Amino acid sequence: MEDLNEIIEQIGSLLNERNYYSIKELLKESEPADLSIILEEFPQKLATLFRLLPKDLAAEVFVEMETDSQESLLTLLTDSEMKEVMNELYIDDTVDIIEEMPANVVKRMLNNSDVETRKIINDILKYPTDSAGSLMTTEYVSLDEDITVEDALKRIRRTGVDKETIYTCYVTKPDRTLLGYITAKKLLLSDENMVISDIMETNVIFVNTHEDKEVVAKEMSKYDLLAIPVVDNENRLVGIITVDDAIDVIEEEATEDIEKMAAIIPSDKPYLATSPFEIWKNRIPWLILLMLTSTFTSQIITSFESKLASCVILTAFIPMIMGSGGNAGGQTSVTIIRGLATEEISLKDVFRILFKELRVSVLCGAVLGIATFLKMLLIDNLLLRNSEVTVNIAAVVSFTLIITIIVAKLVGCLLPLFAKRLGLDPAVMASPFITTIVDALSLLIYLGIAGALIPGLN
Amino acid sequence: MEDLNEIIEQIGSLLNERNYYSIKELLKESEPADLSIILEEFPQKLATLFRLLPKDLAAEVFVEMETDSQESLLTLLTDSEMKEVMNELYIDDTVDIIEEMPANVVKRMLNNSDVETRKIINDILKYPTDSAGSLMTTEYVSLDEDITVEDALKRIRRTGVDKETIYTCYVTKPDRTLLGYITAKKLLLSDENMVISDIMETNVIFVNTHEDKEVVAKEMSKYDLLAIPVVDNENRLVGIITVDDAIDVIEEEATEDIEKMAAIIPSDKPYLATSPFEIWKNRIPWLILLMLTSTFTSQIITSFESKLASCVILTAFIPMIMGSGGNAGGQTSVTIIRGLATEEISLKDVFRILFKELRVSVLCGAVLGIATFLKMLLIDNLLLRNSEVTVNIAAVVSFTLIITIIVAKLVGCLLPLFAKRLGLDPAVMASPFITTIVDALSLLIYLGIAGALIPGLN
């Protein structure tokens, strides 16, 4: 980060001096991911700086840039410059960029790619977003099964430069049916005269073009794959997905789950690039829904109003009971939701989970109940001299808290599992949702226990 | 998943028939990650099944198993069997396993590895947990700078079989100082007579042994690396970290952040393998802390008690206001926390973020306020015939809600940024923490506005 700011400063002053030669030398030294950040610091000079990059590096930098910068750069480049960049891009990156560009830019991009590439791009664009097909690249190494290792290495040497990876090569029939794979490591370590079909792995992990990209990333992580082949419905190899894209998917999916857990409708767009109106659209639906469902709590309080009026001190502990219940339930639901997402737990564990959470909730409830009882008598009554906080009231609040914690944790573990069972996304069953349910339940428990234990109340 | 259950069933019946030959054939067909699950279904027959695996596969399966199964298997294996497994393991996996085993098993493992391996293991064990040093493996390909491509390929062919990756080779001085790297792709595509120093990349991204593993994983993700070199304080290459380990770190870190956001102290242990007592220990501290801080809300309510007693209907909307405030604040804090974690936003964006959240909060507050106003008059008053819910009360509640949402969102974005600024972990500033603060603030706002707008109250 330090270095980056230094480079940006240097380039700033070199730009003022119009010392383009030094800028060129300076840029050559950096990584594409850093160069994109550097270039974006100079929106006015974007095209100038971009033109100073070596051709192969330019395309890599372009891929790393924000959508806005890509768009403004594309409008500044000449057709022949655009053609050069497009030639260096991998197909999957081209498709990603095209998906974000306005129609006129897309048209120019397609016009500046050769006929074959244009056809492939159009094919990939047809796959649903979030599918393996939309994520894949068609630039893989395929080998015939009857050639020797020597021939295979020759083929890699001849065609490898344009392939996104040469480290896993796919063995296919002439009609592209996937037969197996062989790693570059195996090729390098095998005798040159061996025949591919004798040494290839036939136990291939592959995905269908329509598979969800989250599932694809999980498979790659589970089996430690550097690339996974993507096949169509006839088992013909149509592309591969490489591990760097899988990592992006894993990070995006985690962000998405976190957003859902926080009652936000997930969006792919970076926060800083999203307008307040769009952010509002992603946040307001859950806020309204949760506000409406809290009508229940209002109703419960209203129906106990006369009792509460005769013992208002009880209302002072409603926020604490609801808050603790919400926190306890949220802890459990988030644990279960994440466990389901990482496949650490599954539906068949439901009874083990329930029994475990029951024991945890009794432990938590007991400790929290005792702590509250002592706190109310020592702090509220003795220290803060609130004479209304009697032993009786403290007992009602503590006892309520114990039951609430147990109920909250059981609700918190059952709801996500239930959602999963119904084929819904467990992530929406997180804290805000659980809280609303636990709020109503804890109030009923509170007022029920108060009615039973406080003589004048009923 | 379907297939797996089928295989498990088949193996169950083959075990009854003592048909070990067929089991052997069946096991050979599966992937290590699946085999570990299959074997663990038969805890009584773990060693029997493990002995049926081909040697090279056995080690890979062993790595994938749960700690408990690894331990019980190690106690069942003879010294020579253990030696065989240890020989096949990569150093980083060996260290991971050793870190989880009890002392007597560790002793046997070290006794069954050769002198050199034992020294390397002991060195790696000295690095702090969560450091790059503890995650790395020492099995990389290193090349001298003055050799030719042909010699380099020969060296890879000779030594590559035991290396965790041969796809990135590191060029070092005789004293192991890191000079550059060259990929297997470049080696394969270059002329055999080229000298390594002429074609290697000298702009190497590397990490120090003491770097946090989260930072390492981020670097690898950012620069799309398949492996990253780890150097000591004298810039000498001591190991590499491969992308499959980086993926595990990325997933673990996301889980850890999610747990922190849900007021849980994170733990590395899988949920199902954690005892209720341990789970309780990770959850109770925040529950107690948040319960204690809610003393403020109780105090606020108590100090307004006489006013509330004269207008108890006001208490009916406390849960809704607090809940909405907590949800709105939680949405913002979680967005900011995740943005900071993925480095999508940084501290220098503080004013852009604040201004954005201010506009979002005004939009959310306005809509929610109007919705509440209408809901209270249409549902609470007209539909549910609650005559206490007057226009005046509805105005107080709606106005409070608007201010609360704005305050909640500003607190929700400032606190994580503030934590980051102080060098603390922003993740603990998530919903439960924000909620407690917003609860107290919203109550003060509510009772302040009620005092001003309801004539009889003050």
Side-chain angles (χ1 to χ4, degrees):
Chain A
M1 240 11 219
E2 284 299 299
D3 296 349
L4 218 55
N5 287 332
E6 229 168 76
I7 295 175
I8 290 168
E9 244 173 67
Q10 279 182 44
I11 289 181
S13 48
L14 288 172
L15 273 173
N16 286 337
E17 302 165 16
R18 296 170 182 273
N19 185 345
Y20 297 120
Y21 178 77
S22 300
I23 296 179
K24 198 167 173 172
E25 291 302 302
L26 199 59
L27 292 178
K28 237 170 38 186
E29 297 298 309
S30 297
E31 290 292 316
D34 294 333
L35 282 169
S36 68
I37 297 169
I38 295 170
L39 260 63
E40 282 168 344
E41 287 289 318
F42 304 98
Q44 303 300 326
K45 296 282 180 186
L46 202 55
T48 315
L49 289 173
F50 189 75
R51 286 177 180 128
L52 292 172
L53 293 170
K55 258 170 231 172
D56 52 333
L57 194 57
E60 289 182 67
V61 174
F62 185 73
V63 171
E64 297 282 342
M65 292 197 308
E66 300 285 339
T67 305
D68 295 351
S69 314
Q70 286 172 339
E71 189 182 333
S72 61
L73 190 55
L74 282 179
T75 55
L76 293 169
L77 294 185
T78 67
D79 277 0
S80 71
E81 284 173 329
M82 191 187 269
K83 205 171 254 170
E84 272 177 11
V85 174
M86 301 265 313
N87 276 340
E88 292 288 332
L89 289 178
Y90 289 119
I91 292 279
D92 55 343
D93 293 327
T94 312
V95 172
D96 282 353
I97 293 162
I98 282 185
E99 279 173 338
E100 301 294 329
M101 292 295 136
N104 59 330
V105 179
V106 171
K107 206 173 152 194
R108 264 192 73 205
M109 286 179 78
L110 289 174
N111 285 341
N112 284 308
S113 50
D114 55 64
V115 183
E116 199 194 345
T117 313
R118 202 177 318 153
K119 197 190 157 309
I120 297 172
I121 292 173
N122 279 320
D123 283 347
I124 294 184
L125 283 172
K126 278 180 212 142
Y127 292 109
T129 347
D130 295 350
S131 72
S134 75
L135 199 66
M136 72 186 182
T137 183
T138 53
E139 289 137 322
Y140 54 85
V141 178
S142 67
L143 301 173
D144 293 332
E145 57 174 329
D146 50 4
I147 64 172
T148 61
V149 168
E150 192 182 355
D151 292 336
L153 286 172
K154 271 188 199 150
R155 188 179 158 84
I156 292 175
R157 289 205 168 96
R158 205 172 57 237
T159 64
V161 67
D162 289 328
K163 306 304 181 187
E164 190 152 345
T165 184
I166 62 160
Y167 299 142
T168 316
C169 305
Y170 299 94
V171 187
T172 53
K173 281 198 217 169
D175 71 352
R176 285 195 289 138
T177 310
L178 185 61
L179 293 171
Y181 72 90
I182 185 158
T183 63
K185 183 173 182 177
K186 185 91 177 230
L187 281 175
L188 276 173
L189 302 185
S190 297
D191 184 277
E192 295 217 320
N193 299 314
M194 299 285 275
V195 173
I196 296 297
S197 59
D198 293 336
I199 55 170
M200 70 181 181
E201 286 286 336
T202 52
N203 191 10
V204 200
I205 305 211
F206 60 88
V207 290
N208 186 279
T209 46
H210 285 85
E211 189 60 87
D212 188 293
K213 66 179 181 183
E214 185 175 1
V215 177
V216 178
K218 269 187 199 158
E219 292 282 295
M220 295 188 71
S221 155
K222 184 172 166 193
Y223 297 111
D224 290 346
L225 303 177
L226 296 183
I228 196 166
V230 183
V231 301
D232 64 13
N233 291 331
E234 279 81 44
N235 255 348
R236 283 179 312 220
L237 183 63
V238 289
I240 61 166
I241 293 169
T242 48
V243 67
D244 50 316
D245 294 323
I247 292 179
D248 293 343
V249 171
I250 288 171
E251 290 189 322
E252 280 164 28
E253 294 294 333
T255 303
E256 219 169 82
D257 273 4
I258 288 172
E259 287 176 336
K260 282 185 205 153
M261 286 186 211
I264 302 170
I265 297 168
S267 119
D268 281 344
K269 235 173 149 176
Y271 174 75
L272 289 177
T274 317
S275 74
F277 183 69
E278 286 169 286
I279 297 178
W280 169 80
K281 273 202 303 187
N282 295 330
R283 293 188 187 169
I284 195 74
W286 271 103
L287 288 180
I288 291 199
L289 185 72
L290 294 170
M291 182 272 285
L292 288 178
T293 50
S294 65
T295 303
F296 291 113
T297 46
S298 308
Q299 275 304 105
I300 295 169
I301 294 183
T302 311
S303 66
F304 283 89
E305 204 182 304
S306 58
K307 287 169 196 165
L308 279 175
S310 72
C311 190
V312 185
I313 185 68
L314 283 178
T315 59
F317 298 99
I318 290 178
M320 188 275 284
I321 291 169
M322 285 183 170
S324 297
N327 291 334
Q331 288 179 330
T332 300
S333 67
V334 162
T335 304
I336 303 299
I337 291 165
R338 184 65 184 166
L340 287 170
T342 57
E343 292 180 351
E344 201 180 90
I345 58 178
S346 69
L347 275 182
K348 68 173 169 46
D349 302 315
V350 55
F351 292 108
R352 278 177 74 187
I353 297 170
L354 256 180
F355 184 51
K356 201 181 278 274
E357 285 299 323
L358 184 67
R359 285 176 292 169
V360 174
S361 68
V362 169
L363 277 172
C364 284
V367 171
L368 220 54
I370 294 168
T372 300
F373 189 77
L374 295 175
K375 186 219 104 178
M376 288 175 74
L377 293 185
L378 297 178
I379 299 181
D380 297 341
N381 183 312
L382 284 180
L383 195 72
L384 302 173
R385 296 176 183 282
N386 189 335
S387 60
E388 281 174 297
V389 181
T390 59
V391 175
N392 217 350
I393 296 282
V396 168
V397 171
S398 313
F399 194 43
T400 302
L401 197 58
I402 295 172
I403 307 288
T404 298
I405 299 288
I406 295 172
V407 169
K409 285 211 173 282
L410 293 184
V411 170
C413 88
L414 279 175
L415 277 185
L417 290 170
F418 193 59
K420 177 85 182 174
R421 182 74 191 78
L422 293 180
L424 303 171
D425 188 344
V428 296
M429 297 293 177
S431 318
F433 194 84
I434 303 277
T435 302
T436 306
I437 295 178
V438 168
D439 276 357
L441 291 177
S442 63
L443 257 186
L444 286 175
I445 296 167
Y446 190 32
L447 298 169
I449 291 177
L453 292 191
I454 301 176
L457 213 62
N458 246 346
Chain B
M1 242 8 223
E2 285 298 299
D3 296 349
L4 218 55
N5 288 333
E6 229 170 75
I7 295 175
I8 290 167
E9 242 173 67
Q10 279 183 42
I11 288 180
S13 47
L14 288 172
L15 272 174
N16 286 336
E17 300 166 17
R18 296 169 183 273
N19 186 345
Y20 297 120
Y21 178 77
S22 301
I23 295 179
K24 200 167 172 171
E25 290 302 302
L26 199 59
L27 292 179
K28 236 167 40 183
E29 298 299 308
S30 297
E31 290 293 314
D34 294 332
L35 281 169
S36 69
I37 297 168
I38 295 170
L39 261 63
E40 282 169 342
E41 286 290 317
F42 304 97
Q44 304 299 326
K45 295 283 177 183
L46 201 55
T48 315
L49 289 173
F50 189 76
R51 286 177 179 128
L52 292 173
L53 294 170
K55 258 170 232 172
D56 52 334
L57 195 57
E60 289 183 66
V61 174
F62 186 73
V63 170
E64 297 281 343
M65 293 198 306
E66 300 284 339
T67 305
D68 295 351
S69 313
Q70 286 172 337
E71 188 182 334
S72 61
L73 191 54
L74 283 178
T75 55
L76 292 169
L77 294 184
T78 65
D79 276 1
S80 71
E81 284 173 330
M82 190 188 270
K83 205 170 254 170
E84 272 177 10
V85 174
M86 300 267 308
N87 276 341
E88 293 289 333
L89 289 177
Y90 289 120
I91 292 280
D92 55 344
D93 293 326
T94 311
V95 171
D96 283 351
I97 294 163
I98 281 185
E99 279 173 336
E100 300 294 328
M101 291 295 137
N104 58 329
V105 179
V106 171
K107 206 173 154 194
R108 262 193 74 207
M109 286 179 78
L110 289 175
N111 285 340
N112 284 308
S113 51
D114 54 65
V115 183
E116 200 194 343
T117 313
R118 202 178 317 155
K119 195 189 158 309
I120 297 172
I121 292 173
N122 279 321
D123 283 347
I124 295 183
L125 283 172
K126 279 180 210 140
Y127 292 109
T129 345
D130 295 349
S131 72
S134 76
L135 199 66
M136 71 187 184
T137 183
T138 53
E139 287 137 324
Y140 54 84
V141 178
S142 67
L143 301 173
D144 293 332
E145 57 174 328
D146 50 4
I147 64 172
T148 61
V149 168
E150 190 182 357
D151 291 337
L153 286 171
K154 268 188 201 154
R155 189 180 156 84
I156 291 174
R157 289 205 169 95
R158 205 171 58 236
T159 64
V161 66
D162 288 329
K163 305 303 182 189
E164 191 152 344
T165 184
I166 63 160
Y167 299 142
T168 316
C169 305
Y170 298 93
V171 187
T172 53
K173 282 198 213 167
D175 71 352
R176 286 195 289 137
T177 310
L178 185 61
L179 294 170
Y181 72 89
I182 185 159
T183 63
K185 184 172 180 177
K186 183 92 177 230
L187 282 174
L188 276 172
L189 301 184
S190 297
D191 184 277
E192 294 217 320
N193 299 315
M194 298 284 275
V195 174
I196 295 298
S197 58
D198 293 336
I199 54 172
M200 70 180 181
E201 286 286 336
T202 51
N203 192 9
V204 200
I205 300 191
F206 61 87
V207 289
N208 185 280
T209 46
H210 285 84
E211 188 59 88
D212 189 291
K213 65 179 180 181
E214 187 176 0
V215 177
V216 178
K218 270 187 200 157
E219 293 282 298
M220 294 188 72
S221 156
K222 183 171 166 196
Y223 298 109
D224 290 345
L225 303 176
L226 296 183
I228 196 167
V230 184
V231 302
D232 63 14
N233 291 332
E234 279 81 45
N235 256 348
R236 284 180 310 220
L237 183 63
V238 289
I240 60 166
I241 294 169
T242 49
V243 67
D244 51 314
D245 293 324
I247 292 178
D248 292 343
V249 171
I250 288 170
E251 290 190 319
E252 281 164 28
E253 294 294 334
T255 303
E256 220 169 81
D257 273 3
I258 288 171
E259 288 177 336
K260 282 184 205 153
M261 286 185 210
I264 302 170
I265 297 168
S267 119
D268 283 343
K269 234 172 151 176
Y271 174 76
L272 289 177
T274 317
S275 73
F277 183 67
E278 286 169 286
I279 297 178
W280 169 82
K281 273 200 304 187
N282 295 331
R283 293 189 188 169
I284 196 73
W286 272 103
L287 288 181
I288 291 197
L289 184 71
L290 295 170
M291 183 273 284
L292 288 178
T293 50
S294 66
T295 303
F296 292 112
T297 47
S298 307
Q299 276 303 106
I300 295 169
I301 294 183
T302 310
S303 65
F304 283 88
E305 202 181 305
S306 57
K307 288 171 196 166
L308 278 176
S310 71
C311 189
V312 184
I313 185 68
L314 283 178
T315 59
F317 299 99
I318 290 179
M320 189 275 285
I321 292 169
M322 284 183 170
S324 297
N327 290 334
Q331 287 179 331
T332 300
S333 67
V334 161
T335 304
I336 303 299
I337 291 165
R338 183 65 184 166
L340 287 170
T342 57
E343 293 181 352
E344 201 179 271
I345 58 179
S346 67
L347 275 182
K348 70 174 169 42
D349 302 314
V350 56
F351 292 108
R352 279 178 72 186
I353 297 171
L354 255 180
F355 183 51
K356 201 181 276 276
E357 285 299 323
L358 183 67
R359 286 175 292 167
V360 174
S361 68
V362 169
L363 277 171
C364 283
V367 171
L368 220 53
I370 294 169
T372 300
F373 189 77
L374 294 176
K375 187 220 104 178
M376 286 176 74
L377 292 185
L378 296 178
I379 298 182
D380 296 340
N381 183 313
L382 283 179
L383 194 73
L384 301 174
R385 298 177 180 280
N386 190 336
S387 59
E388 281 175 296
V389 181
T390 59
V391 175
N392 216 352
I393 295 283
V396 168
V397 170
S398 312
F399 194 43
T400 302
L401 198 57
I402 296 172
I403 308 288
T404 298
I405 299 287
I406 296 172
V407 169
K409 286 211 174 281
L410 294 185
V411 170
C413 88
L414 279 176
L415 278 185
L417 290 171
F418 193 60
K420 178 85 183 175
R421 182 75 191 76
L422 292 181
L424 303 171
D425 188 343
V428 296
M429 296 294 177
S431 317
F433 193 82
I434 304 279
T435 302
T436 305
I437 295 178
V438 168
D439 276 357
L441 291 177
S442 64
L443 256 186
L444 286 174
I445 297 167
Y446 191 31
L447 298 169
I449 291 178
L453 292 192
I454 300 176
L457 213 63
N458 245 347

